Amino acid sequence: MKRILLAVCLMAMARPVLAQELYVNTEPASNMATGSLGIRVENQGYFKPSYKNRSTIEAMYGVSRHLMVHGSVYMSDYYNSSQHFEGGSVYAKYRFLSIDTVQKHFRGAFFAKLSSINNPIVNREITLEGDNSGAQGGVVFTQLLHKLALSGSASYLRAFNNSGNYEISTNRVRNAAAYTLSGGYLLLPRNYRDYKQVNLNLYCELLGKTNPGHSESYLDVAPALQLIFNSTCRLDFSYRTPIYNDMQRNTKNMYLIRLEYNFFNL
């Protein structure tokens, strides 16, 4: 019984330490707990030349300590005068590396994503979150150093023809490379007492893409603020803006608001 209580206390104490890995615009190499379910409701958009926004509903499940899966559906008015259903995507991440010490760890994971979208193809950026049908595969590494977490990823994207008879024309982009670098810092609580304390995390993320053979690329900076309540409910705010950009896309100068709730030990 004493061993069980000790294990529960150690798990509770670990939760706020890991909170700064819950990046807003990217995924870390760490996975959800086995048997846990997360539900996300997200809205993102831009204000110029006119206000447009996209809503996403996403479900996440921890299959095992090595594998987690996501499923998402999208709705926006980016390509129409009113909101319409755009399609969906599935995502899987497999953690292949774990090096753990006290309040420190280094982890690596492979990830893959597939999407089916029914929008016209008008932009030069390949994104699988409502704009393009396609596939993505990559690798991500995350380093935790007490209250600071750093993460970087690299991936390859391949665009397919969109459903609804929207085909990629010969002068359009079919391939892209994506890269990210993220940092998160646990600002509050300064002294941990129990899991009911509100966690405040600050993030800064660099998000980039390149279209090989087309001399098109961008790099965005995306500062973010995150609140976590009772270790189960999460509220994210972020705004991304270009450091440089020579690509036609929707994601330039975009806000993001997300609410997430997690159910543990299902």
Side-chain angles (χ1 to χ4, degrees):
M1 184 65 180
K2 289 182 179 180
R3 290 183 178 180
I4 296 175
L5 289 174
L6 178 60
V8 171
C9 290
L10 289 174
M11 290 175 62
M13 290 177 67
R15 280 184 179 176
V17 176
L18 302 180
Q20 66 272 35
E21 288 186 49
L22 302 175
Y23 302 107
V24 177
N25 293 279
T26 61
E27 285 285 332
S30 301
N31 285 339
M32 299 176 66
T34 302
S36 61
L37 173 68
I39 303 295
R40 289 176 174 174
V41 179
E42 175 185 299
N43 181 262
Q44 55 182 321
Y46 54 85
F47 296 95
K48 294 180 180 180
S50 61
Y51 176 63
K52 298 282 187 178
N53 73 98
R54 169 175 287 141
S55 296
T56 303
I57 299 176
E58 182 175 6
M60 309 169 293
Y61 184 72
V63 179
S64 70
R65 63 189 297 266
H66 295 289
L67 178 66
M68 68 178 294
V69 293
H70 297 212
S72 303
V73 292
Y74 309 99
M75 182 177 72
S76 86
D77 60 357
Y78 285 175
Y79 304 96
N80 291 273
S81 58
S82 60
Q83 295 280 332
H84 81 289
F85 175 71
E86 300 176 296
S89 67
V90 292
Y91 170 96
K93 180 172 57 178
Y94 181 81
R95 193 181 75 200
F96 64 86
L97 176 66
S98 294
I99 302 174
D100 297 333
T101 58
V102 177
Q103 294 186 330
K104 294 180 182 180
H105 64 232
F106 183 72
R107 291 176 180 169
F110 297 117
F111 64 89
K113 191 169 192 174
L114 289 171
S115 69
S116 177
I117 305 299
N118 63 359
N119 280 322
I121 303 169
V122 300
N123 289 309
R124 303 293 291 179
E125 181 189 14
I126 298 173
T127 74
L128 307 188
E129 295 75 42
D131 297 297
N132 296 92
S133 298
Q136 180 180 15
V139 62
V140 56
F141 293 96
T142 302
Q143 173 74 69
L144 176 70
L145 300 168
H146 190 36
K147 291 189 176 185
L148 175 68
L150 301 172
S151 189
S153 73
S155 62
Y156 166 80
L157 297 96
R158 174 73 175 180
F160 307 147
N161 292 332
N162 281 2
S163 58
N165 295 318
Y166 295 115
E167 297 186 356
I168 302 174
S169 60
T170 55
N171 64 336
R172 287 289 173 182
V173 177
R174 287 186 177 271
N175 304 288
Y179 33 89
T180 69
L181 179 63
S182 303
Y185 186 79
L186 177 64
L187 190 64
L188 294 175
R190 296 187 181 276
N191 297 303
Y192 180 71
R193 296 189 305 273
D194 59 66
Y195 72 93
K196 293 184 179 181
Q197 288 176 276
V198 176
N199 287 1
L200 173 61
N201 298 306
L202 300 179
Y203 297 93
C204 185
E205 301 183 78
L206 298 176
L207 315 170
K209 275 185 188 164
T210 298
N211 295 336
H214 292 271
S215 299
E216 298 170 326
S217 62
Y218 73 79
L219 181 66
D220 288 353
V221 59
L225 177 70
Q226 181 182 83
L227 295 167
I228 299 177
F229 307 93
N230 293 325
S231 296
T232 56
C233 184
R234 164 182 164 188
L235 185 60
D236 297 337
F237 303 93
S238 179
Y239 188 83
R240 60 188 293 178
T241 189
I243 297 175
Y244 66 84
N245 177 72
D246 56 13
M247 187 184 298
Q248 180 186 354
R249 57 194 176 104
N250 288 328
T251 54
K252 184 173 65 173
N253 297 316
M254 177 176 285
Y255 75 84
L256 182 152
I257 302 172
R258 178 191 296 129
L259 179 65
E260 176 182 324
Y261 193 87
N262 291 279
F263 303 89
F264 295 103
N265 301 316
L266 294 181

